[in-house]
Amino acid sequence: MGSIGFIGAGSMAEAMVAGLLKGKVYKPEEVTVANRSNSARLEQLSKMYGIKTTHDKERLVKESSIIVLAMKPKDIQAGIDGIQELIENQLIVSVLAGISFETITNILGKQTAIVRAMPNTSAAIGKSATAIAASKDVTNEQIETCKSLFEAIGICKLVEENQLDAVTGLSGSGPAYIYYLVEAMEKAAIEVGLESAVARDLIVQTLLGASEMIAISEKHPSQLRKEVTSPNGTTEAGITILKERGFEDSLVSCIKRATERATELKEMFEDELITIEKSD
C-alpha cells in the first residue's frame, strides 16, 4: 500500500494513525505526519506511535502514495500551497468537512484522484462511522484502498458527494446526540433515586446491548422495540410520554437542521476561499 502522509496533526489525524497502526494496515515507519510549526505536538505523536514527523510537507508528499488532508478547513489553502507541483499519482484523501472536490481541485490546479471522507470522533477508539465519496479520477482499486483505511477505525460506506452533508448531520454529529441522550437519562435516574455511578453503568450497558441487538438481529428496530413493550406495562408508559413530547419529530428535525447547517458552512468556507483567491 506504500506509505501515507498526514498534513495536519490534530485529533482526527491521530485517531486515524492509531487505528491504522493497531490494525497493522501500516508500519510506524510508513506513516508521516506534518504540521506548520507545532514541534511539541509532532514530538508527542512520534513518541507515542513511533511514526515519522516533519514540518517539511514537500518531503512528505514526495515520500507518500496517499496524502491525507487533515488540517482545519479554513487552512486548506495554506496547507496545499507549495505542494501542487509535487502531486502526480498520489491519492488525496480529505477529511475536511465542507470542502468540495471542485474546491480542492481548484487549489491544486489540476485534476487528480480525490476521496472525501466524513469520519466521526469515535475514530479515537476504532468505532467511527465513516462515509467516503470518490471523485471521477479515483480508480476502483483506490476506493478499496481508502475503504481499508477507514475500516481500520470503524466502518466505511461509499456515498455520492452530494450525500456527505447528510452524513455530517447523521453520523458526523451523531455521537453528540447520543451523549445528550445519556445526559438526560442520567438526570432522570438521579431524580428517581439512583446513584450517579450506578446509573452511568446501567445506561452504558443498556446502550451497548441495544446497539448489539440492532447490529446482529434481522428484525427492524421498530419490531425490537415492540418486543420490549408489553401492553399497559412500564415501557409503554415511558414510550407514550416520548410520543406526547414529540421525541421522534424532534430527532428528525435535529438531523435535518444539522444537515442544513453542514451545507451552510460548506458555502461559507467556499465563499471565504474565493475571497482569499481574489485578494491574492
Short mmCIF file of all heavy atoms in Angstrom, two decimals, residues 159-206:
data_model
loop_
_atom_site.label_atom_id
_atom_site.label_comp_id
_atom_site.label_asym_id
_atom_site.label_seq_id
_atom_site.Cartn_x
_atom_site.Cartn_y
_atom_site.Cartn_z
N VAL A 159 -20.61 6.73 -0.59
CA VAL A 159 -21.77 7.52 -0.95
C VAL A 159 -21.38 8.50 -2.06
O VAL A 159 -20.21 8.60 -2.44
CB VAL A 159 -22.33 8.31 0.26
CG1 VAL A 159 -22.72 7.37 1.39
CG2 VAL A 159 -21.31 9.35 0.76
N GLU A 160 -22.37 9.23 -2.57
CA GLU A 160 -22.10 10.30 -3.53
C GLU A 160 -21.71 11.56 -2.77
O GLU A 160 -22.10 11.76 -1.62
CB GLU A 160 -23.34 10.57 -4.39
CG GLU A 160 -23.78 9.41 -5.25
CD GLU A 160 -22.74 9.02 -6.29
OE1 GLU A 160 -22.07 9.95 -6.83
OE2 GLU A 160 -22.59 7.82 -6.56
N GLU A 161 -20.96 12.45 -3.43
CA GLU A 161 -20.52 13.67 -2.75
C GLU A 161 -21.69 14.49 -2.23
O GLU A 161 -21.62 15.05 -1.14
CB GLU A 161 -19.66 14.53 -3.69
CG GLU A 161 -19.11 15.76 -2.96
CD GLU A 161 -18.26 16.67 -3.84
OE1 GLU A 161 -18.47 16.67 -5.07
OE2 GLU A 161 -17.42 17.39 -3.29
N ASN A 162 -22.79 14.54 -2.99
CA ASN A 162 -23.92 15.35 -2.55
C ASN A 162 -24.65 14.77 -1.34
O ASN A 162 -25.59 15.38 -0.82
CB ASN A 162 -24.90 15.60 -3.70
CG ASN A 162 -25.52 14.33 -4.25
OD1 ASN A 162 -25.41 13.25 -3.65
ND2 ASN A 162 -26.17 14.43 -5.40
N GLN A 163 -24.24 13.59 -0.90
CA GLN A 163 -24.83 12.99 0.30
C GLN A 163 -23.99 13.22 1.56
O GLN A 163 -24.42 12.89 2.66
CB GLN A 163 -25.00 11.48 0.09
CG GLN A 163 -25.99 11.11 -1.01
CD GLN A 163 -26.06 9.60 -1.24
OE1 GLN A 163 -25.04 8.96 -1.50
NE2 GLN A 163 -27.25 9.05 -1.15
N LEU A 164 -22.82 13.83 1.40
CA LEU A 164 -21.92 13.98 2.55
C LEU A 164 -22.46 14.95 3.60
O LEU A 164 -22.18 14.78 4.79
CB LEU A 164 -20.53 14.42 2.09
CG LEU A 164 -19.67 13.33 1.46
CD1 LEU A 164 -18.35 13.91 0.98
CD2 LEU A 164 -19.40 12.19 2.46
N ASP A 165 -23.23 15.96 3.20
CA ASP A 165 -23.82 16.85 4.20
C ASP A 165 -24.80 16.08 5.08
O ASP A 165 -24.88 16.30 6.30
CB ASP A 165 -24.54 18.03 3.54
CG ASP A 165 -23.57 19.03 2.93
OD1 ASP A 165 -22.36 18.97 3.26
OD2 ASP A 165 -24.00 19.88 2.12
N ALA A 166 -25.55 15.16 4.46
CA ALA A 166 -26.48 14.33 5.24
C ALA A 166 -25.71 13.42 6.19
O ALA A 166 -26.14 13.20 7.34
CB ALA A 166 -27.36 13.50 4.30
N VAL A 167 -24.59 12.89 5.73
CA VAL A 167 -23.74 12.05 6.60
C VAL A 167 -23.23 12.87 7.78
O VAL A 167 -23.22 12.41 8.93
CB VAL A 167 -22.56 11.47 5.79
CG1 VAL A 167 -21.56 10.80 6.73
CG2 VAL A 167 -23.07 10.48 4.75
N THR A 168 -22.85 14.12 7.51
CA THR A 168 -22.38 15.01 8.57
C THR A 168 -23.47 15.21 9.62
O THR A 168 -23.22 15.13 10.83
CB THR A 168 -21.97 16.37 8.00
OG1 THR A 168 -20.94 16.18 7.04
CG2 THR A 168 -21.47 17.31 9.10
N GLY A 169 -24.70 15.45 9.17
CA GLY A 169 -25.81 15.66 10.08
C GLY A 169 -26.22 14.42 10.85
O GLY A 169 -26.70 14.50 11.99
N LEU A 170 -26.01 13.25 10.25
CA LEU A 170 -26.41 11.99 10.88
C LEU A 170 -25.30 11.42 11.76
O LEU A 170 -25.39 11.44 12.99
CB LEU A 170 -26.80 10.98 9.81
CG LEU A 170 -27.21 9.59 10.33
CD1 LEU A 170 -28.50 9.67 11.13
CD2 LEU A 170 -27.34 8.60 9.17
N SER A 171 -24.25 10.90 11.15
CA SER A 171 -23.21 10.21 11.92
C SER A 171 -22.05 11.10 12.31
O SER A 171 -21.37 10.84 13.31
CB SER A 171 -22.70 8.99 11.14
OG SER A 171 -22.20 9.39 9.86
N GLY A 172 -21.79 12.17 11.53
CA GLY A 172 -20.71 13.08 11.91
C GLY A 172 -21.01 13.74 13.25
O GLY A 172 -20.18 13.78 14.15
N SER A 173 -22.23 14.26 13.38
CA SER A 173 -22.66 14.87 14.63
C SER A 173 -23.30 13.87 15.58
O SER A 173 -23.56 14.19 16.75
CB SER A 173 -23.68 15.98 14.34
OG SER A 173 -23.12 16.98 13.53
N GLY A 174 -23.56 12.66 15.10
CA GLY A 174 -24.32 11.66 15.84
C GLY A 174 -23.85 11.36 17.25
O GLY A 174 -24.68 11.22 18.16
N PRO A 175 -22.53 11.23 17.49
CA PRO A 175 -22.10 10.94 18.87
C PRO A 175 -22.63 11.96 19.88
O PRO A 175 -23.00 11.59 21.00
CB PRO A 175 -20.57 10.98 18.77
CG PRO A 175 -20.29 10.54 17.37
CD PRO A 175 -21.38 11.16 16.55
N ALA A 176 -22.71 13.23 19.47
CA ALA A 176 -23.21 14.26 20.41
C ALA A 176 -24.67 14.03 20.75
O ALA A 176 -25.09 14.28 21.90
CB ALA A 176 -23.03 15.66 19.81
N TYR A 177 -25.46 13.54 19.80
CA TYR A 177 -26.87 13.26 20.10
C TYR A 177 -26.99 12.16 21.16
O TYR A 177 -27.82 12.23 22.07
CB TYR A 177 -27.63 12.81 18.85
CG TYR A 177 -27.47 13.68 17.62
CD1 TYR A 177 -27.58 13.12 16.35
CD2 TYR A 177 -27.21 15.04 17.72
CE1 TYR A 177 -27.44 13.90 15.21
CE2 TYR A 177 -27.06 15.82 16.58
CZ TYR A 177 -27.17 15.24 15.32
OH TYR A 177 -27.03 16.00 14.20
N ILE A 178 -26.13 11.15 21.02
CA ILE A 178 -26.16 10.04 21.98
C ILE A 178 -25.70 10.52 23.36
O ILE A 178 -26.28 10.15 24.39
CB ILE A 178 -25.28 8.87 21.50
CG1 ILE A 178 -25.74 8.39 20.11
CG2 ILE A 178 -25.31 7.72 22.51
CD1 ILE A 178 -27.19 7.94 20.05
N TYR A 179 -24.65 11.36 23.38
CA TYR A 179 -24.19 11.88 24.66
C TYR A 179 -25.28 12.71 25.33
O TYR A 179 -25.44 12.66 26.57
CB TYR A 179 -22.93 12.74 24.46
CG TYR A 179 -21.77 12.02 23.83
CD1 TYR A 179 -20.86 12.68 23.00
CD2 TYR A 179 -21.57 10.65 24.03
CE1 TYR A 179 -19.80 12.03 22.41
CE2 TYR A 179 -20.50 9.99 23.44
CZ TYR A 179 -19.63 10.67 22.62
OH TYR A 179 -18.59 10.03 22.03
N TYR A 180 -26.03 13.46 24.54
CA TYR A 180 -27.12 14.27 25.08
C TYR A 180 -28.22 13.37 25.66
O TYR A 180 -28.78 13.65 26.72
CB TYR A 180 -27.68 15.16 23.95
CG TYR A 180 -28.47 16.37 24.40
CD1 TYR A 180 -28.58 16.73 25.74
CD2 TYR A 180 -29.10 17.17 23.46
CE1 TYR A 180 -29.30 17.85 26.13
CE2 TYR A 180 -29.83 18.29 23.84
CZ TYR A 180 -29.93 18.63 25.18
OH TYR A 180 -30.65 19.73 25.56
N LEU A 181 -28.50 12.27 24.95
CA LEU A 181 -29.47 11.29 25.45
C LEU A 181 -29.03 10.73 26.80
O LEU A 181 -29.83 10.62 27.75
CB LEU A 181 -29.63 10.16 24.44
CG LEU A 181 -30.47 8.94 24.89
CD1 LEU A 181 -31.92 9.35 25.11
CD2 LEU A 181 -30.37 7.82 23.84
N VAL A 182 -27.74 10.40 26.90
CA VAL A 182 -27.22 9.86 28.15
C VAL A 182 -27.31 10.89 29.28
O VAL A 182 -27.64 10.55 30.42
CB VAL A 182 -25.77 9.35 27.96
CG1 VAL A 182 -25.14 8.99 29.30
CG2 VAL A 182 -25.75 8.16 27.02
N GLU A 183 -27.01 12.14 28.96
CA GLU A 183 -27.14 13.20 29.96
C GLU A 183 -28.56 13.21 30.55
O GLU A 183 -28.75 13.30 31.77
CB GLU A 183 -26.86 14.57 29.33
CG GLU A 183 -25.41 14.85 29.02
CD GLU A 183 -25.27 16.23 28.38
OE1 GLU A 183 -25.62 17.23 29.04
OE2 GLU A 183 -24.82 16.31 27.22
N ALA A 184 -29.55 13.13 29.65
CA ALA A 184 -30.95 13.17 30.10
C ALA A 184 -31.31 11.93 30.91
O ALA A 184 -32.00 12.02 31.94
CB ALA A 184 -31.88 13.30 28.89
N MET A 185 -30.82 10.76 30.48
CA MET A 185 -31.11 9.53 31.20
C MET A 185 -30.47 9.55 32.59
O MET A 185 -31.07 9.10 33.58
CB MET A 185 -30.62 8.32 30.39
CG MET A 185 -31.42 8.09 29.12
SD MET A 185 -30.82 6.68 28.13
CE MET A 185 -31.41 5.30 29.13
N GLU A 186 -29.24 10.09 32.68
CA GLU A 186 -28.58 10.20 33.98
C GLU A 186 -29.36 11.12 34.92
O GLU A 186 -29.54 10.83 36.11
CB GLU A 186 -27.15 10.72 33.81
CG GLU A 186 -26.16 9.69 33.30
CD GLU A 186 -24.74 10.21 33.30
OE1 GLU A 186 -24.55 11.44 33.32
OE2 GLU A 186 -23.82 9.40 33.28
N LYS A 187 -29.80 12.25 34.38
CA LYS A 187 -30.58 13.19 35.18
C LYS A 187 -31.85 12.53 35.71
O LYS A 187 -32.19 12.65 36.90
CB LYS A 187 -30.94 14.41 34.34
CG LYS A 187 -31.74 15.47 35.08
CD LYS A 187 -32.06 16.65 34.18
CE LYS A 187 -32.89 17.70 34.92
NZ LYS A 187 -33.23 18.85 34.06
N ALA A 188 -32.54 11.79 34.82
CA ALA A 188 -33.77 11.11 35.23
C ALA A 188 -33.48 10.05 36.28
O ALA A 188 -34.23 9.91 37.26
CB ALA A 188 -34.43 10.47 34.01
N ALA A 189 -32.38 9.30 36.10
CA ALA A 189 -32.03 8.23 37.05
C ALA A 189 -31.81 8.78 38.45
O ALA A 189 -32.27 8.20 39.45
CB ALA A 189 -30.79 7.50 36.56
N ILE A 190 -31.13 9.92 38.53
CA ILE A 190 -30.87 10.53 39.84
C ILE A 190 -32.19 11.00 40.47
O ILE A 190 -32.42 10.82 41.67
CB ILE A 190 -29.88 11.70 39.68
CG1 ILE A 190 -28.49 11.14 39.30
CG2 ILE A 190 -29.79 12.51 40.97
CD1 ILE A 190 -27.51 12.20 38.85
N GLU A 191 -33.07 11.56 39.63
CA GLU A 191 -34.35 12.07 40.15
C GLU A 191 -35.27 10.94 40.64
O GLU A 191 -36.12 11.18 41.50
CB GLU A 191 -35.05 12.90 39.07
CG GLU A 191 -34.36 14.23 38.81
CD GLU A 191 -35.12 15.11 37.83
OE1 GLU A 191 -36.24 14.73 37.41
OE2 GLU A 191 -34.59 16.20 37.49
N VAL A 192 -35.08 9.73 40.12
CA VAL A 192 -35.92 8.61 40.60
C VAL A 192 -35.20 7.78 41.66
O VAL A 192 -35.68 6.71 42.04
CB VAL A 192 -36.40 7.71 39.43
CG1 VAL A 192 -37.30 8.49 38.49
CG2 VAL A 192 -35.22 7.08 38.69
N GLY A 193 -34.03 8.27 42.13
CA GLY A 193 -33.43 7.67 43.31
C GLY A 193 -32.19 6.83 43.12
O GLY A 193 -31.72 6.20 44.09
N LEU A 194 -31.59 6.80 41.93
CA LEU A 194 -30.37 6.01 41.72
C LEU A 194 -29.13 6.87 41.92
O LEU A 194 -29.14 8.08 41.67
CB LEU A 194 -30.35 5.42 40.31
CG LEU A 194 -31.34 4.29 40.02
CD1 LEU A 194 -31.28 3.91 38.54
CD2 LEU A 194 -31.05 3.07 40.89
N GLU A 195 -28.06 6.22 42.35
CA GLU A 195 -26.79 6.93 42.47
C GLU A 195 -26.20 7.14 41.07
O GLU A 195 -26.37 6.30 40.18
CB GLU A 195 -25.81 6.12 43.32
CG GLU A 195 -26.24 5.99 44.77
CD GLU A 195 -25.24 5.18 45.58
OE1 GLU A 195 -24.19 4.79 45.01
OE2 GLU A 195 -25.52 4.93 46.77
N SER A 196 -25.48 8.22 40.91
CA SER A 196 -24.95 8.60 39.59
C SER A 196 -24.08 7.50 38.98
O SER A 196 -24.22 7.16 37.80
CB SER A 196 -24.15 9.90 39.70
OG SER A 196 -23.61 10.26 38.46
N ALA A 197 -23.16 6.93 39.78
CA ALA A 197 -22.23 5.92 39.25
C ALA A 197 -22.97 4.67 38.81
O ALA A 197 -22.66 4.08 37.77
CB ALA A 197 -21.18 5.57 40.30
N VAL A 198 -23.96 4.26 39.61
CA VAL A 198 -24.77 3.08 39.25
C VAL A 198 -25.55 3.35 37.97
O VAL A 198 -25.61 2.52 37.06
CB VAL A 198 -25.73 2.71 40.41
CG1 VAL A 198 -26.70 1.62 39.97
CG2 VAL A 198 -24.94 2.27 41.63
N ALA A 199 -26.15 4.54 37.91
CA ALA A 199 -26.94 4.91 36.73
C ALA A 199 -26.07 4.89 35.47
O ALA A 199 -26.49 4.37 34.43
CB ALA A 199 -27.56 6.29 36.92
N ARG A 200 -24.86 5.46 35.57
CA ARG A 200 -23.97 5.51 34.40
C ARG A 200 -23.68 4.11 33.87
O ARG A 200 -23.77 3.86 32.67
CB ARG A 200 -22.67 6.22 34.80
CG ARG A 200 -21.55 6.16 33.75
CD ARG A 200 -21.85 7.01 32.52
NE ARG A 200 -21.92 8.40 32.86
CZ ARG A 200 -20.86 9.24 32.89
NH1 ARG A 200 -19.65 8.77 32.60
NH2 ARG A 200 -21.01 10.50 33.18
N ASP A 201 -23.33 3.19 34.76
CA ASP A 201 -23.02 1.83 34.33
C ASP A 201 -24.23 1.15 33.67
O ASP A 201 -24.09 0.46 32.66
CB ASP A 201 -22.54 0.99 35.51
CG ASP A 201 -21.15 1.40 35.99
OD1 ASP A 201 -20.46 2.12 35.25
OD2 ASP A 201 -20.77 0.99 37.10
N LEU A 202 -25.38 1.33 34.24
CA LEU A 202 -26.60 0.71 33.69
C LEU A 202 -26.95 1.31 32.34
O LEU A 202 -27.34 0.59 31.41
CB LEU A 202 -27.77 0.89 34.66
CG LEU A 202 -27.67 0.13 35.99
CD1 LEU A 202 -28.81 0.52 36.92
CD2 LEU A 202 -27.67 -1.39 35.75
N ILE A 203 -26.79 2.63 32.20
CA ILE A 203 -27.11 3.29 30.92
C ILE A 203 -26.15 2.84 29.82
O ILE A 203 -26.56 2.50 28.72
CB ILE A 203 -27.07 4.82 31.09
CG1 ILE A 203 -28.21 5.29 31.98
CG2 ILE A 203 -27.16 5.52 29.72
CD1 ILE A 203 -28.06 6.73 32.47
N VAL A 204 -24.87 2.84 30.15
CA VAL A 204 -23.86 2.44 29.15
C VAL A 204 -24.10 1.02 28.66
O VAL A 204 -24.10 0.75 27.46
CB VAL A 204 -22.43 2.58 29.73
CG1 VAL A 204 -21.41 1.92 28.80
CG2 VAL A 204 -22.09 4.05 29.94
N GLN A 205 -24.35 0.10 29.60
CA GLN A 205 -24.58 -1.28 29.19
C GLN A 205 -25.89 -1.42 28.41
O GLN A 205 -25.97 -2.22 27.47
CB GLN A 205 -24.60 -2.20 30.41
CG GLN A 205 -24.65 -3.68 30.07
CD GLN A 205 -23.46 -4.14 29.24
OE1 GLN A 205 -22.35 -3.62 29.40
NE2 GLN A 205 -23.68 -5.09 28.34
N THR A 206 -26.89 -0.64 28.76
CA THR A 206 -28.14 -0.66 28.02
C THR A 206 -27.93 -0.21 26.57
O THR A 206 -28.44 -0.83 25.63
CB THR A 206 -29.19 0.26 28.70
OG1 THR A 206 -29.44 -0.23 30.01
CG2 THR A 206 -30.49 0.28 27.91
#
